[in-house]
Amino acid sequence: MNIENTKAQMRKGVLEYCILSILQNREAYPSDIIDELKTAKLIVVEGTLYPLLTRLKNAGLLSYRWEESTSGPPRKYYTLTENGKVFLAELDKTWDQLSTAVNKTTSKTSKK
Amino acid sequence: MNKTISANISGFIFNIEENAYQKLLKYLEFINSFFKSSEGGDEIVADIEARIAELFQERLSAGKQLITDIDIEEVIEIMGRPEQYNDSAFDEEEETSSTSSQSSDEHDADADPKTRNRRIYRDPEDKILGGVCAGISHYLGWDPIILRLIVVLAFFFAGTGVIVYILLWILVPEAKTTTEKLRMKGEKVNVENIRKKVSEEMDSVKDGVTNLANDAKRAGSKVSESTKRAASGMGDFFGIIGKVLLKLIGLFLLAIGVGILIGSVAGWVTIEEMVFNNADFDMIQDYVLHDTGIPSMVFVGIFMVLASIIIAFIWKGLKILLDIKTNVKGMGLGLFGIFIIGLIICVVSGVTIGRSYSWQEDIPARQTLDLVPGDTLYVNVSEDDRFNENYRWDRQDSPFALMEVSDGEIHMGTSTQMYFDLIDSGKVEIWVNKSACGRSRAQATTFADDIRFDWRVDSNVITLPPYLSVPESDRWKCQEVEIEIEVPRGVYVKMSEHASRIYSHHRADGKLRYVPDEGRLDWEYID
């Protein structure tokens, strides 16, 4: 098994949750979302983001509006929908449970 | 200095270097085909393109107005290199990526053409002209050189290959997208192979850029790398067609030039043989042309005309075929000048020569012999071994066939002719006509008069000289002597063997039969 693959799989699992989280209290351009994710080292290449955004939008969790830009083409400005907010709350709970469980498991193992 | 392309992505206009453009194009092709089957794939692609436009914007400023190769590299790194798309967060592709890792060993598809489901495309990456041979070779599993050789050979057989090639060029589509390129080679169309293909192409683009820098001079007629990569689409197609046609024209010109050369040589040899009978060229020059005052100018003129044409055609043809760039200064003008001057000389001297033969005059003389039926007429030729006895004296030969100059006279052996004429009754009559040509009537008469043909009659013997003679200063003025002998029926004619050989038996009418052992001519009476 490829370590990079596994890492990517782990990151991939939480990526959607993180995107929804970023949009929790604000609207954001894709580039803003990218910047945050990059800072957190959650994504390496931007190309992975767009399919995700589109999928979340198609699932009704996100919506966007076009905003004219003075320099260049108009840009998408994403927000959470009501559904998205509900979804995010669910995921928050799930993450809490998950991270606790994982921490428990891994710390137990390393102790031995 | 490099070429710049003005492009736009997501509505954003920018200037980009040619090489960078190609790279970007390939990348966008990959993105396109990668998300083609995804839900909302168009939107994803649009988003990515919009992001790329943003990145371009960030990089451009008043000081930097051009998107370069480096920029594209950076953008691709940011957006994600094609290989990274395989193992990142893509749900739909996950299933196929696990299966594609199994099938990665099978991608060596070219080796086993029969089991692969492949289609014929034109290969834009391995093309000399249009990639027809390369594309079909993928389908067959051959080395493209085989098909190319076949096409070249076919070209030499009435150019059949050309028509077929052009048809295929038009009908067979070019493998543009990565998917099509994979299908052309019969490789499985999945993400793994697409990724591999794209990265291969990225590498080759990198190499191509280095090669472009090294491709300083274009040698010979080979279509260079830069032409292959730089041009695209229909413009390239017509350019190549134009080149092929040009080469054909070059070959044609060369052929014409060589043809004229061979024709001239052959023609000269023929003329020499038939008209002059291999006579001494100087003699011709002296006795035909000299009097006109333009000695041998006509030959100079002909030579100039032919030489200028031949040189022009052969040179032009070779230039086109071998792509010789050097231009000899003033060659075109010089050759044309020679041609014109040569033409003028030909015309003038030709006319002048012709004029000196424009008039012909006759000087007849006759004599009657007192013979009655039952008598024998003897026709002899005076002994003169000037011309070889064994030579077959034939009127068909040109006047120059037997021509000799001595003692201030020109002796012509083939300019005399004798006829026998059978009449019912009357006397034997001999009629000798001297004729010559000249610039004017008077001159022609003088020349005719100058002919020395000493014949005589002694009761029943006619003695003729074997040839005529003219003063050397007269030169050849188509001097001729025609002898006609009228013989009534019943009169026997006896010619010596010598005579009958020199004067062949042409006659006006009646049937004449030479009786060898008796040395006489016999009439065959037609009743």
Side-chain angles (χ1 to χ4, degrees):
Chain A
M1 290 212 36
N2 189 343
I3 186 71
E4 286 304 321
N5 267 345
T6 311
K7 284 189 195 172
Q9 290 297 322
M10 285 177 81
R11 289 193 207 111
K12 174 185 165 331
V14 297
L15 210 45
E16 283 179 14
Y17 172 48
C18 294
I19 291 174
L20 293 172
S21 209
I22 292 173
L23 292 172
Q24 193 170 25
N25 296 318
R26 54 187 263 227
E27 289 178 292
Y29 296 115
S31 42
D32 298 331
I33 304 175
I34 287 167
D35 287 337
E36 279 215 36
L37 292 173
K38 271 187 179 170
T39 317
K41 292 211 171 63
L42 277 171
I43 60 166
V44 183
V45 293
E46 300 187 13
T48 59
L49 185 72
Y50 297 98
L52 272 180
L53 285 176
T54 306
R55 196 148 20 99
L56 290 172
K57 182 212 76 179
N58 287 343
L61 302 175
L62 296 183
S63 68
Y64 64 79
R65 60 182 175 83
W66 288 101
E67 189 161 281
E68 291 297 324
S69 160
T70 46
S71 52
R75 307 158 72 188
K76 287 180 178 175
Y77 217 25
Y78 279 95
T79 34
L80 274 184
T81 59
E82 285 305 316
N83 277 347
K85 290 190 182 139
V86 169
F87 203 81
L88 177 59
E90 274 292 318
L91 286 181
D92 277 333
K93 263 193 264 174
T94 314
W95 174 251
D96 277 337
Q97 292 167 353
L98 190 59
S99 54
T100 318
V102 169
N103 283 336
K104 239 181 162 178
T105 318
T106 48
S107 62
K108 254 195 179 162
T109 331
S110 65
K111 266 193 185 144
K112 287 246 160 78
Chain B
M1 186 179 70
N2 301 314
K3 202 165 150 194
T4 306
I5 296 181
S6 184
N8 79 83
I9 188 170
S10 195
F12 172 66
I13 302 174
F14 58 96
N15 287 325
I16 179 170
E17 267 183 1
E18 201 173 19
N19 327 322
Y21 176 77
Q22 294 297 334
K23 225 178 204 170
L24 180 61
L25 205 58
K26 280 207 158 73
Y27 182 71
L28 291 174
E29 270 175 24
F30 165 73
I31 297 290
N32 240 309
S33 55
F34 192 77
F35 290 112
K36 211 184 331 206
S37 48
S38 298
E39 195 187 300
D42 292 338
E43 197 174 345
I44 300 174
V45 172
D47 286 341
I48 293 182
E49 289 188 353
R51 176 62 184 154
I52 294 180
E54 273 181 10
L55 291 172
F56 282 168
Q57 244 183 296
E58 286 168 19
R59 281 164 171 67
L60 292 172
S61 67
K64 173 180 159 71
Q65 304 189 358
L66 188 65
I67 298 294
T68 66
D69 205 59
I70 303 171
D71 293 320
I72 299 298
E73 280 289 336
E74 287 175 3
V75 165
I76 292 180
E77 278 297 322
I78 293 172
M79 295 310 293
R81 278 181 283 112
E83 46 267 38
Q84 290 171 303
Y85 275 68
N86 201 29
D87 42 41
S88 283
F90 298 113
D91 271 341
E92 298 97 308
E93 275 69 44
E94 216 185 21
E95 293 88 51
T96 51
S97 67
S98 55
T99 49
S100 75
S101 55
Q102 292 168 344
S103 62
S104 59
D105 343 5
E106 300 173 300
H107 79 86
D108 197 8
D110 270 325
D112 192 8
K114 290 181 185 71
T115 62
R116 292 274 163 251
N117 184 16
R118 59 180 66 195
R119 303 172 62 181
I120 299 184
Y121 286 97
R122 287 188 290 118
D123 191 343
E125 289 163 5
D126 191 13
K127 61 176 181 180
I128 301 277
L129 282 178
V132 173
C133 290
I136 299 181
S137 300
H138 282 307
Y139 186 79
L140 296 169
W142 293 354
D143 194 317
I145 196 89
I146 299 178
L147 272 183
R148 288 192 180 125
L149 278 175
I150 292 178
V151 171
V152 169
L153 276 174
F155 171 69
F156 281 107
F157 287 102
T160 30
V162 180
I163 310 275
V164 174
Y165 189 92
I166 293 178
L167 266 175
L168 286 173
W169 194 338
I170 296 174
L171 294 173
V172 175
E174 186 177 326
K176 286 203 179 70
T177 72
T178 312
T179 313
E180 288 172 353
K181 287 177 189 168
L182 287 172
R183 276 224 195 88
M184 173 174 68
K185 295 186 179 149
E187 293 177 17
K188 265 200 163 183
V189 182
N190 53 35
V191 172
E192 173 73 17
N193 282 341
I194 291 178
R195 172 185 76 68
K196 275 199 162 68
K197 193 92 184 66
V198 173
S199 68
E200 273 170 27
E201 288 177 5
M202 293 298 198
D203 289 335
S204 68
V205 169
K206 278 191 208 141
D207 290 340
V209 171
T210 333
N211 283 342
L212 273 176
N214 295 335
D215 237 334
K217 285 193 178 98
R218 196 169 62 86
S221 62
K222 195 167 74 84
V223 177
S224 69
E225 284 290 309
S226 55
T227 317
K228 269 194 240 175
R229 296 200 188 280
S232 63
M234 286 301 275
D236 197 17
F237 175 83
F238 283 118
I240 299 296
I241 286 291
K243 277 198 178 69
V244 172
L245 277 176
L246 196 65
K247 293 285 181 244
L248 286 176
I249 290 175
L251 192 67
F252 189 61
L253 288 177
L254 186 66
I256 291 181
V258 173
I260 294 180
L261 181 63
I262 295 179
S264 313
V265 173
W268 174 249
V269 170
T270 313
I271 290 177
E272 223 183 275
E273 223 181 77
M274 281 178 49
V275 174
F276 302 128
N277 261 100
N278 299 319
D280 209 8
F281 184 69
D282 292 327
M283 198 187 301
I284 311 302
Q285 204 170 302
D286 286 336
Y287 300 111
V288 175
L289 306 167
H290 191 80
D291 189 52
T292 63
I294 319 174
S296 52
M297 270 312 252
V298 68
F299 289 109
V300 173
I302 292 177
F303 179 75
M304 284 168 78
V305 168
L306 285 176
S308 59
I309 293 180
I310 291 172
I311 294 178
F313 273 101
I314 293 185
W315 176 242
K316 243 333 183 171
L318 282 176
K319 261 188 79 176
I320 292 178
L321 280 178
L322 305 177
D323 272 321
I324 300 173
K325 284 297 178 195
T326 53
N327 271 316
V328 178
K329 252 189 158 183
M331 193 178 203
L333 204 60
L335 282 178
F336 185 68
I338 294 178
F339 174 77
I340 290 295
I341 295 176
L343 202 61
I344 293 176
I345 292 177
C346 273
V347 171
V348 168
S349 47
V351 165
T352 316
I353 291 173
R355 278 215 332 254
S356 58
Y357 296 95
S358 48
W359 285 94
Q360 187 179 357
E361 281 301 313
D362 298 333
I363 296 185
R366 28 168 25 114
Q367 193 166 343
T368 314
L369 286 85
D370 224 354
L371 295 176
V372 291
D375 288 340
T376 307
L377 171 69
Y378 291 90
V379 178
N380 294 333
V381 166
S382 48
E383 292 295 321
D384 196 325
D385 56 3
R386 175 176 298 279
F387 293 117
N388 190 347
E389 283 281 346
N390 292 325
Y391 183 85
R392 199 177 67 83
W393 296 62
D394 196 329
R395 185 61 181 88
Q396 263 77 9
D397 280 345
S398 79
F400 301 96
L402 290 179
M403 201 187 266
E404 220 180 83
V405 181
S406 68
D407 310 319
E409 279 191 317
I410 309 176
H411 309 287
M412 307 183 200
T414 47
S415 300
T416 53
Q417 190 172 358
M418 183 176 69
Y419 295 92
F420 280 105
D421 204 4
L422 174 62
I423 53 174
D424 285 330
S425 63
K427 299 281 188 182
V428 171
E429 265 197 23
I430 174 166
W431 187 71
V432 175
N433 190 44
K434 300 195 286 189
S435 65
C437 304
R439 243 192 342 261
S440 62
R441 190 189 222 133
Q443 201 195 47
T445 313
T446 313
F447 286 140
D449 207 29
D450 286 342
I451 298 176
R452 185 170 70 81
F453 190 72
D454 303 322
W455 58 282
R456 61 176 200 276
V457 173
D458 308 300
S459 67
N460 63 338
V461 178
I462 298 176
T463 310
L464 302 169
Y467 53 82
L468 65 86
S469 311
V470 299
E472 193 181 337
S473 51
D474 276 6
R475 310 227 137 69
W476 182 70
K477 290 290 183 288
C478 48
Q479 296 93 335
E480 276 177 10
V481 171
E482 209 175 273
I483 306 140
E484 201 176 306
I485 303 178
E486 275 183 355
V487 179
R489 276 199 199 162
V491 175
Y492 293 107
V493 180
K494 206 162 175 172
M495 280 182 78
S496 64
E497 198 188 326
H498 181 59
S500 59
R501 189 157 15 95
I502 291 174
Y503 290 106
S504 36
H505 321 300
H506 294 256
R507 75 283 176 275
D509 56 32
K511 281 195 174 179
L512 205 63
R513 191 169 53 89
Y514 181 68
V515 186
D517 38 307
E518 291 181 44
R520 64 181 170 87
L521 291 166
D522 239 0
W523 294 111
E524 283 173 4
Y525 291 92
I526 319 150
D527 277 318

